[in-house]
């Protein structure tokens, strides 16, 4: 008899796989809360690769050894820096649109690196939402189901000017913040307008390693973000660095355009700006940042809670026109998981 460690009786009873306790859909029929605290195991017998357990409530369950040994896998996060520039995660539009394996590779890059590029696509308006629909659902916002990024008169957002934009995440003033952003290039004959990307998690880890108190300050100081125009008023408060229960990075939110003035005590103010400056400098550092020019038909997608994007300024001569949309990461991960089955 192999030695299989028996976890708590309540846990075993709660996770009984028999048809009385589990619906064929995989959902639990048994009410976990109704299991008495004093439930005990009467006997446990190992046979045929499984463990048969009898409980004091009269129920008998059989657990597969392999299932008992399973541990949830941690998601693979691959931090990157400017040295990735020679080999950007890139797929061809036609392949990703037509073939599950190319789509799976593309989505894997987004999942692990927080961004990916698609080249050789059409320059037809609306392509960006078509790409989002390959893996999930478009997240409609006040900017529309998709939005045109080009220079306009009376711009309501700096994105709609020819100005350069430093590394930022979009819509930190929204709750919840969209977790994915796609940008598709329709025209790029204007001089300038290169795109930039930086791994916010990589920059934050650098800060954690070299200036722990700055890191902790950015993870614990709430920052309010706001966007306002004629028919919209959005506001949300979040730390620049958000950590999960294990202290691992969960999200980075950085957008100097829409951050409201911090209202801190004078001593805290200085420390906050020092930390903010240190992080902002890392986000702009040539060791971490990549820069590339989208050709008409090209597109990139970023995990908007991890990889920050920006652009260099561009001239009014020639044309630069992108279309963007938002989507959610859960849909992408679901599609990736199904493709990986
Ligand atoms: N646009 C491009 O989050 C932001 O305000 C950045 C977003 C206007 C949808 C720009
Ligand atoms: C945006 C943005 C970058 C660009 O629209 O959110 O950051 O390349 N645009 O114009
Ligand atoms: Zn059962
Ligand atoms: Zn943006």
């Amino acid at each position: 008899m192999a030695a299989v460690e028996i976890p708590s009786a309540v846990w075993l009873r709660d996770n009984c796989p028999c048809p009385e306790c589990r619906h064929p859909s995989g959902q639990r029929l048994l009410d976990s809360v109704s299991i008495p605290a004093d439930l005990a195991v009467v006997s446990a017998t190992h046979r045929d690769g499984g463990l048969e357990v009898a409980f004091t409530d009269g129920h008998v369950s059989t657990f597969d050894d392999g299932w008992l040994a399973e541990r949830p896998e941690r998601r693979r996060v691959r931090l990157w820096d400017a040295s990735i520039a020679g080999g950007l995660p890139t797929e061809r539009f036609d392949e990703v649109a037509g073939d599950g394996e190319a789509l799976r590779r593309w989505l894997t890059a987004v999942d692990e690196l927080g961004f990916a590029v698609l080249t050789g696509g059409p320059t037809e308006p609306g392509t960006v939402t078509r790409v989002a629909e390959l893996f999930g659902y478009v997240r409609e916002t006040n900017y529309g189901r998709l939005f045109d990024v080009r220079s306009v008169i009376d711009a309501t957002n700096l994105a709609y000017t020819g100005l350069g934009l430093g590394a930022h995440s979009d819509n930190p003033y929204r709750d919840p913040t969209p977790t994915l952003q796609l940008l598709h290039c329709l025209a790029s004959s204007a001089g300038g307008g290169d795109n930039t990307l930086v791994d916010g998690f990589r920059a934050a880890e650098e800060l954690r390693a070299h200036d722990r108190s700055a890191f902790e300050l950015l993870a614990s100081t709430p920052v309010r973000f706001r966007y306002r125009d004629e028919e919209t008023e959005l506001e949300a408060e979040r730390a620049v660095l958000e950590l999960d229960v294990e202290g691992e990075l969960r999200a980075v939110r950085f957008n100097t355009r829409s951050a409201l003035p911090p209202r801190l005590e004078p001593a805290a103010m200085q420390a906050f700006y020092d930390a903010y400056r240190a992080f902002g400098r890392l986000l702009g550092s040539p060791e971490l940042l990549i820069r590339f020019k989208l050709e008409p038909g090209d597109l990139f997608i970023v995990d908007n809670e991890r990889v920050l994007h920006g652009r260099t300024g561009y001239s009014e001569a020639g044309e630069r026109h992108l279309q963007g949309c938002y989507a959610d990461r859960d849909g992408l991960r679901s599609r990736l998981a199904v493709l990986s089955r």
Side-chain angles (χ1 to χ4, degrees), residues 168 170 181 257 309:
H168 66 277
D170 265 32
Q181 181 182 19
R257 276 171 282 157
H309 64 284

Side-chain angles (χ1 to χ4, degrees), residues 24-137:
S25 64
Q27 296 212 303
R28 188 183 280 103
L29 287 165
L30 176 80
D31 173 16
S32 309
V33 177
S34 69
I35 304 167
D38 61 358
L39 183 93
V41 168
V42 176
S43 68
T45 320
H46 193 254
R47 65 162 76 104
D48 304 332
L51 186 70
E52 193 183 277
V53 181
F55 297 94
T56 47
D57 65 357
H59 201 73
V60 178
S61 311
T62 305
F63 301 94
D64 184 67
D65 283 344
W67 180 83
L68 282 171
E70 266 176 32
R71 293 293 174 270
E73 253 176 66
R74 254 204 167 271
R75 284 196 340 96
R76 239 161 77 87
V77 174
R78 285 157 59 202
L79 300 182
W80 53 268
D81 60 22
S83 66
I84 201 175
L88 299 186
T90 307
E91 295 290 335
R92 299 275 309 166
F93 178 90
D94 291 342
E95 289 180 24
V96 165
D99 163 17
E101 187 47 34
L103 179 60
R104 199 184 64 79
R105 283 198 305 269
W106 199 62
L107 301 181
T108 300
V110 183
D111 196 37
E112 297 182 354
L113 300 166
F115 79 106
V117 180
L118 209 53
T119 58
T123 53
E124 237 164 276
T127 299
V128 71
T129 51
R130 255 185 73 202
V131 171
E133 284 163 352
L134 292 174
F135 63 78
Y137 304 93

Side-chain angles (χ1 to χ4, degrees), residues 303-332:
D303 178 332
N304 188 48
E305 287 190 320
R306 171 179 168 189
V307 171
L308 311 184
H309 64 284
R311 69 162 184 237
T312 62
Y314 60 94
S315 74
E316 296 299 323
E319 195 194 356
R320 185 178 192 272
H321 183 192
L322 308 186
Q323 283 191 326
C325 74
Y326 300 113
D328 287 314
R329 206 168 41 204
D330 59 347
L332 185 149

